[in-house]
């Protein structure tokens, strides 16, 4: 299968145009129109032309996809299903080390290694199976993959609290990672429900729901772990919870997943519109539909074929670059805020850390829900990403400046810190728009709706691998820079500032598919081609 989607590729564009023209000449007035995702197809005028058909040479352009309203109920249900993966991933964090030590009878010095290993295995397993789930969603449909994945995650997470050995914990954690189809499928379905006008709003809610899951997961895990000791008035003397102290937390998470199974199976609509049912060799099994003019759905593109499509590689690179910056900052910030000012941190108490984390979360939510949609509509996805790329190095570098204020240990500098720091954290949280922006850029560069699932799976494969390794890498770098006082403890921030500057540069090379005026340019090009014919 050969994919060609560059608007600048004149040869491939001419070929696709000729194919589209011949198809329209052979079709009758009763030929059914092919439904397609406007988010994906508008990224490529050739694909858009092939889907919509050229029709008569003087026919007006088809109605703009922006006119399609956003199905709010479907987006809400998908966002609810989106909660399950981060809840399942983060719910074990409050008690994993205690559980490892109890089940493995380990020395305290060995707990960190096994705890980190089990935490990372979820993401590592996701990385291995993500492509499979994406291709399955492209072939068999989004909804079957979503529901089956939610069932698998709910069962495996529920069983995790019953593990009595480290090997059982490892196996069950890997099993939860196997059912990673929820993330890639939900991203794809949100994209297919959206249009160029509404995708910023829908993916803002998608990102917000992920942040809610990141918050809710540890709360459930910490509040419900070892209930016999935390709440003796209710659970003391109950043999089950004394033998399995972490079962309640995992069972509650599994029950939340079960509710998402029900809502997804009953209310969520399939977004992959199949024109014909394929046989294993890719041919149509419906002669009636073939006679009616429906085109058979091709085999889903392989990851290697997608990487060869112009623009896909640089978008995936920016996607991964943004994720590294996000994972690194998220991993470093808690220990950075806890470290004393003399060593290069803020010296916060647990309460102050919680308050600043809450401020960060609220600020990100406001940026994503209130400011990102109008900014994306005004400046385009690429414009927002480039603005975030400019702000990122300053946000990373400002952390060292804030430490210098506390390092002086004077009344005046302390007051300045407590005035300036919350403002800078709130304003700097705007860089979180980059994570939603790279997802929209990924949607825009997709060659066709049929490849959207595989392309999202490819991006999430990269993300899962980075999430497994980045926290350990950057927290270790922070520990070394503080312990050795490399650059007065600021080495990690210098590295991150330089790396963020690389993101500033890489966003300059984003393809035109996500530019503000790209859709209008495509329409004008199609109109000119029709006039020339």
């Amino acid at each position: 299968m050969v994919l060609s989607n560059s608007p600048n590729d004149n040869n491939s564009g001419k070929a696709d145009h000729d194919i589209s023209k011949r198809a329209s000449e052979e079709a009758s007035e009763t030929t059914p129109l092919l439904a397609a995702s406007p988010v994906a197809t508008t990224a490529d005028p050739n694909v858009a032309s092939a889907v919509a058909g050229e029709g008569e040479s003087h026919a007006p352009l088809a109605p703009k996809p922006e006119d399609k309203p956003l199905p709010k109920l479907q987006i809400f249900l998908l966002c609810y299903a989106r909660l399950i993966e981060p809840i399942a991933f983060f719910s074990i964090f409050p008690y994993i080390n205690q559980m490892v030590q109890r089940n493995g009878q380990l020395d305290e010095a060995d707990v960190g290694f096994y705890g980190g290993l089990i935490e990372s295995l979820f993401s590592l397993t996701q990385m291995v199976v993500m492509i499979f789930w994406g291709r399955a969603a492209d072939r068999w449909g989004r909804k079957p993959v979503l529901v089956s994945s939610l069932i698998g995650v709910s069962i495996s997470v529920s069983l995790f609290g019953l593990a009595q050995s480290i090997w059982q914990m490892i196996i069950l954690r890997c099993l939860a990672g196997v059912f990673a189809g929820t993330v890639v499928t939900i991203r794809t379905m949100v994209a297919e429900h959206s249009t160029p006008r509404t995708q910023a709003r829908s993916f803002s809610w998608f990102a917000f729901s992920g942040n809610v899951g990141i918050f809710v997961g540890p709360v459930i895990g910490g509040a419900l772990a070892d209930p016999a000791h935390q709440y003796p008035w209710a659970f003391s003397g109950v043999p089950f919870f004394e033998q399995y102290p972490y079962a309640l937390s995992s069972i509650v998470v599994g029950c939340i997943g079960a509710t998402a199974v029900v809502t997804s199976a009953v209310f969520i609509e399939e977004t992959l519109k199949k024109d014909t049912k394929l046989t294993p060799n890719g041919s149509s099994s419906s002669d009636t539909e073939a006679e009616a003019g429906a085109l058979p759905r091709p085999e889903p593109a392989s990851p290697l074929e997608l990487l060869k499509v112009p623009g896909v590689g640089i978008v995936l690179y920016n996607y991964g670059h943004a994720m590294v910056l996000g994972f690194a900052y998220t991993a470093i910030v808690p220990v950075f805020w806890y470290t004393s000012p003399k060593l290069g941190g803020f010296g916060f108490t647990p309460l102050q850390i919680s308050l600043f984390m809450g401020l960060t979360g609220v600020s990100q939510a406001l940026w994503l829900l209130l400011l990102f949609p109008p900014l994306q509509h005004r400046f385009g996805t690429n414009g927002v990403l480039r603005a975030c790329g400019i702000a990122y190095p300053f946000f990373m570098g400002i952390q060292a400046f804030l430490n210098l204020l506390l390092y002086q240990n004077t009344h005046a500098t302390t007051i300045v810190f407590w005035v300036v720091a919350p403002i800078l954290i709130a304003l700097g949280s705007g860089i979180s728009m980059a994570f939603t922006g790279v997802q929209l850029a990924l949607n825009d560069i997709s060659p066709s709706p049929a490849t959207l699932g595989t392309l999202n799976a490819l991006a999430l494969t990269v993300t899962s691998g980075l999430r497994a390794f980045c926290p350990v890498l950057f927290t270790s770098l922070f520990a070394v820079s503080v312990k050795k006082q490399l650059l007065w403890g600021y080495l990690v921030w210098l590295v991150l500032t330089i790396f963020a500057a690389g993101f500033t540069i890489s966003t300059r090379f984003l393809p035109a598919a996500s530019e503000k005026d790209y859709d209008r340019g495509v329409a004008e090009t199609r109109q000119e081609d029709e006039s020339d014919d």
Side-chain angles (χ1 to χ4, degrees):
M1 178 180 179
V2 178
L3 300 175
S4 179
N5 294 280
S6 171
N8 297 322
D9 191 341
N10 294 328
N11 294 330
S12 62
K14 182 178 180 181
D16 289 342
H17 176 75
D18 293 341
I19 292 173
S20 174
K21 184 178 179 181
R22 289 197 300 270
S24 64
E25 290 173 350
E26 294 172 1
S28 67
E29 293 182 355
T30 60
T31 300
L33 295 177
L34 299 182
S37 167
V39 176
T41 55
T42 53
D44 182 4
N46 302 323
V47 175
S49 299
V51 172
E54 298 290 334
E56 297 294 328
S57 60
H58 300 289
L61 290 176
K64 291 184 178 181
E66 290 88 341
D67 296 337
K68 174 185 174 183
L70 186 68
K72 296 179 181 179
L73 177 60
Q74 292 297 306
I75 297 298
F76 172 79
L77 293 172
L78 289 170
C79 287
Y80 180 68
R82 167 74 177 101
L83 290 173
I84 306 306
E85 191 267 348
I87 290 177
F89 180 78
F90 288 100
S91 63
I92 72 168
F93 277 42
Y95 63 81
I96 182 62
N97 293 318
Q98 187 181 42
M99 187 178 182
V100 164
Q101 189 171 24
R102 181 180 185 274
N103 289 346
Q105 303 298 316
L106 300 174
D107 294 333
E108 186 175 355
D110 297 326
V111 169
F113 170 77
Y114 287 98
L117 174 65
I118 293 172
E119 291 171 2
S120 299
L121 283 174
F122 186 91
S123 295
L124 288 173
T125 309
Q126 278 186 326
M127 180 179 67
V128 174
V129 303
M130 198 70 74
I131 294 295
F132 164 77
W133 285 116
R135 290 177 64 80
D138 283 340
R139 168 168 282 279
W140 296 311
R142 319 303 192 200
K143 186 173 179 177
V145 171
L146 174 60
V147 174
S148 60
S149 299
L150 286 171
I151 292 173
V153 169
S154 301
I155 294 174
S156 56
V157 169
S158 298
L159 294 175
F160 183 81
L162 304 178
Q164 294 288 286
S165 69
I166 291 180
W167 280 111
Q168 290 175 358
M169 295 172 67
I170 289 175
I171 291 172
L172 290 171
R173 194 62 171 165
C174 289
L175 184 62
V178 166
F179 295 98
T182 57
V183 188
V184 60
T185 309
I186 293 170
R187 286 174 184 256
T188 305
M189 295 179 81
V190 170
E192 290 172 331
H193 276 304
S194 307
T195 68
R197 180 178 294 275
T198 62
Q199 64 174 339
R201 184 152 43 101
S202 60
F203 274 96
S204 294
W205 283 105
F206 173 85
F208 175 71
S209 64
N211 290 339
V212 172
I214 293 172
F215 171 77
V216 171
V219 170
I220 295 175
L224 301 181
D226 199 5
H229 288 88
Q230 286 202 78
Y231 315 106
W233 52 271
F235 296 97
S236 180
V238 180
F240 178 79
F241 291 115
E242 290 183 348
Q243 184 178 357
Y244 303 103
Y246 311 104
L248 181 60
S249 171
S250 60
I251 289 174
V252 168
V253 173
C255 289
I256 296 174
T259 62
V261 171
V262 174
T263 57
S264 299
V266 177
F267 300 110
I268 285 182
E269 300 172 357
E270 176 61 69
T271 59
L272 181 63
K273 306 301 182 183
K274 291 191 174 183
D275 303 302
T276 56
K277 185 176 180 180
L278 296 181
T279 59
N281 62 5
S283 61
S284 170
S285 62
S286 175
D287 294 334
T288 302
E289 291 184 1
E291 292 174 357
L295 298 178
R297 182 177 295 279
E299 290 284 342
S302 68
L304 183 59
E305 289 174 320
L306 282 176
L307 288 173
K308 294 179 180 179
V309 175
V312 169
I314 187 62
V315 170
L316 284 174
Y317 173 81
N318 278 276
Y319 191 102
H321 203 140
M323 292 301 115
V324 170
L325 289 170
F327 293 147
Y329 180 78
T330 302
I332 291 173
V333 154
V335 65
F336 170 67
W337 288 346
Y338 175 78
T339 303
S340 68
K342 294 297 181 183
L343 293 178
F346 287 174
F348 281 176
T349 64
L351 176 60
Q352 290 170 333
I353 292 175
S354 299
L355 291 174
F356 262 61
M357 284 187 168
L359 173 63
T360 301
V362 171
S363 301
Q364 288 181 349
L366 292 176
W367 278 101
L368 288 173
L369 298 179
L370 301 181
L371 296 176
F372 177 73
L375 288 174
Q376 190 271 346
H377 180 67
R378 180 176 178 83
F379 301 107
T381 301
N382 284 357
V384 174
L385 282 173
R386 286 163 185 159
C388 292
I390 293 172
Y392 238 124
F394 292 99
F395 182 72
M396 293 299 186
I398 206 69
Q399 307 303 319
F401 166 75
L402 293 174
N403 167 259
L404 284 175
L405 292 175
L406 292 176
Y407 184 84
Q408 303 301 317
N409 197 26
T410 66
H411 181 69
T413 56
T414 302
I415 291 177
V416 171
F417 172 85
W418 287 108
V419 171
V420 172
I423 297 174
L424 292 178
I425 293 295
L427 294 177
S429 296
I431 58 177
S432 62
M433 294 188 297
F435 309 128
T436 304
V438 290
Q439 177 63 54
L440 299 190
L442 198 69
N443 297 340
D444 291 335
I445 204 62
S446 178
S448 74
T451 61
L452 192 57
T454 303
L455 185 59
N456 272 286
L458 191 60
L460 289 170
T461 298
V462 175
T463 301
S464 297
L466 293 173
R467 186 168 67 173
F469 295 108
C470 282
V472 175
L473 176 63
F474 283 97
T475 53
S476 299
L477 179 61
F478 176 81
V480 171
S481 65
V482 168
K483 184 176 182 179
K484 303 291 185 180
Q485 281 296 287
L486 302 175
L487 288 179
W488 305 280
Y490 301 146
L491 176 63
V492 66
W493 295 114
L494 175 62
V495 171
L496 284 176
T497 300
I498 295 173
F499 196 74
F503 184 65
T504 307
I505 297 172
S506 66
T507 55
R508 309 304 300 178
F509 296 93
L510 287 167
S514 294
E515 296 288 356
K516 178 179 182 295
D517 296 328
Y518 181 77
D519 290 338
R520 187 177 64 211
V522 170
E524 291 173 352
T525 301
R526 290 179 56 194
Q527 187 69 66
E528 290 173 0
D529 290 343
E530 292 174 353
S531 300
D532 292 337
D533 292 340

